[in-house]
Amino acid sequence: VRILIADALPPSSISAIEAGGSTCELRPELRGDALAAALPGVEVLVVRSTTVDGPTIAAADRLQLVVRAGSGTNTIDTGAATDRGIAVCNVPGRNATAVAELTFALMLSLDRNVPDAVADLRAGRWDKARYSKARGLHGRDLGVVGLGATGMAVAARAHAFGMQVHAIGRADRDAQVLASAESCEVRFVADLAELAQRCDILSFHVPLTPDTRGLISRELLARCRDGAWIINTSRGELVDDDALIEAMDTRGLRAGLDVFNGEPQGGTGTFDSALARHPNVYGTHHIGASTEQAQQAVADEVVRIIGAFADGHLLHCVNDVAHPATDTDTDTERDDRRRSR
Ligand code: 3PG
């Protein structure tokens, strides 16, 4: 199989793929037109953050599989891929722990104002009086929006912190999700509006779809308690920036955000966002999945996906293409995959 890898992948993973008889070309710098120009002859394309749009897919002549080395597939035009019979597979769940850990980094930062405290110390200011003001996380009500692998990892950690976790009840939750939720003593509510009313903190763990775009809206924020916190480590497009800024200015809401509308695609660049600059926001640079552990776990699963493909099977396929599929996913993975379609 001829494979083009248009993002970084560990050398050990490339060796493992080539040991299976495939040839890999590592071109992490490819973007846009250059990516399209490199696609003729390629059968499998592996990407992480790199966008694979319709024109790029149209430039391919032998492409059969796009592997997204992460969970979200919003950077890939899956519709264009489906039209050409090209499978799109993601790697669900493997970076869930890393994202859950960053979720807690943001929550704990908001509670203890760690970023400001560090900045003051670096500027030679001692202010124990200011930084002694914190409510603590224990006993607080956390609403987890999305109970896939990441949401559940957040729920488990929140339970360990003594928080009360709430989530939205859904008739189609499978037994494994319900069992995990029960072990974290998750309380189910009717809908997102009720979740917002009940909780001190809302944390979002949903893929970007037409249903979730703009989910953190003026209407939803109006339901939140004064001083509530919004944590978003999923996709920036969930947020109505103006509405969140208004809620922070007028009702003391605060936010921990790892993702932003219009964030740069590459690793470095300039970024001008009124939301990211707002004093009530502690922001990070879309690094939720970027621990060494998570990147290795994702790369291992990419190797497994390509091995299965070489054997005629698809793992974690998110679009409807006429390929044989071996479905070895767990229920949680299947749930994540369904919701990312
Ligand atoms: C994901 O979709 O898995 C995460 O958002 C990670 O995205 P990244 O690979 O672009 O960091």
Side-chain angles (χ1 to χ4, degrees):
V1 181
R2 192 173 151 202
I3 300 168
L4 176 64
I5 301 169
D7 266 309
L9 206 68
S12 58
S13 307
I14 293 173
S15 305
I17 293 169
E18 291 191 323
S22 297
T23 52
C24 292
E25 194 185 351
L26 183 63
R27 303 279 309 277
E29 78 287 357
L30 290 177
R31 296 286 181 278
D33 290 347
L35 175 59
L39 275 181
V42 168
E43 294 164 279
V44 175
L45 172 64
V46 180
V47 286
R48 183 177 163 171
S49 313
T50 300
T51 299
V52 183
D53 57 15
T56 303
I57 285 172
D61 55 357
R62 296 185 59 201
L63 192 62
Q64 295 173 54
L65 171 65
V66 178
V67 182
R68 158 71 172 119
S71 68
T73 53
N74 58 295
T75 44
I76 297 170
D77 190 335
T78 41
T82 307
D83 289 346
R84 294 177 152 256
I86 297 166
V88 177
C89 295
N90 70 344
V91 178
R94 299 303 191 274
N95 54 31
T97 299
V99 179
E101 288 175 355
L102 185 71
T103 299
F104 269 83
L106 292 169
M107 264 196 276
L108 289 162
S109 293
L110 284 168
D111 194 45
R112 299 299 185 108
N113 294 296
V114 174
D116 292 340
V118 170
D120 273 348
L121 276 182
R122 286 187 176 161
R125 282 189 294 272
W126 181 259
D127 198 348
K128 179 164 173 159
R130 176 181 169 197
Y131 294 113
S132 295
K133 292 180 192 124
R135 286 173 61 182
L137 294 186
H138 190 272
R140 293 179 75 183
D141 291 293
L142 170 68
V144 175
V145 182
L147 276 187
T150 307
M152 202 55 87
V154 169
R157 283 154 184 76
H159 184 55
F161 267 74
M163 303 176 85
Q164 175 60 59
V165 180
H166 306 258
I168 300 164
R170 268 185 13 199
D172 63 344
R173 291 218 188 273
D174 62 43
Q176 191 186 342
V177 171
L178 289 174
S180 303
E182 194 181 337
S183 71
C184 304
E185 299 180 57
V186 173
R187 288 189 193 152
F188 286 106
V189 300
D191 53 27
L192 186 56
E194 189 185 347
L195 198 68
Q197 279 159 353
R198 272 178 191 260
C199 292
D200 306 301
I201 308 163
L202 287 183
S203 190
F204 290 81
H205 306 285
V206 290
L208 178 63
T209 67
D211 289 343
T212 62
R213 189 178 287 277
L215 192 64
I216 305 173
S217 62
R218 186 161 274 110
E219 295 69 36
L220 179 69
L221 293 166
R223 305 260 183 187
C224 290
R225 299 174 177 177
D226 288 353
W229 300 349
I230 302 293
I231 311 288
N232 185 18
T233 54
S234 51
R235 287 294 180 265
E237 292 88 342
L238 263 57
V239 181
D240 176 337
D241 286 14
D242 292 341
L244 182 52
I245 288 170
E246 189 184 301
M248 292 192 295
D249 285 341
T250 58
R251 297 175 38 237
L253 269 69
R254 300 176 71 202
L257 307 173
D258 183 44
V259 287
F260 296 89
N261 276 301
E263 66 185 39
Q265 243 196 50
T268 54
T270 52
F271 181 45
D272 185 19
S273 156
L275 183 58
R277 281 197 311 269
H278 196 285
N280 289 24
V281 171
Y282 287 143
T284 48
H285 307 224
H286 198 155
I287 54 163
S290 299
T291 63
E292 285 173 18
Q293 297 169 343
Q295 290 180 77
Q296 190 59 56
V298 167
D300 290 348
E301 193 63 5
V302 169
V303 173
R304 207 167 76 87
I305 291 169
I306 291 173
F309 174 76
D311 289 341
H313 306 300
L314 292 174
L315 295 181
H316 315 308
C317 184
V318 303
N319 60 342
D320 291 320
V321 286
H323 283 272
T326 302
D327 198 345
T328 56
D329 296 353
T330 64
D331 285 349
T332 304
E333 286 171 334
R334 234 172 271 131
D335 192 46
D336 276 346
R337 194 180 46 182
R338 263 201 310 272
R339 291 184 310 113
S340 71
R341 277 183 180 150

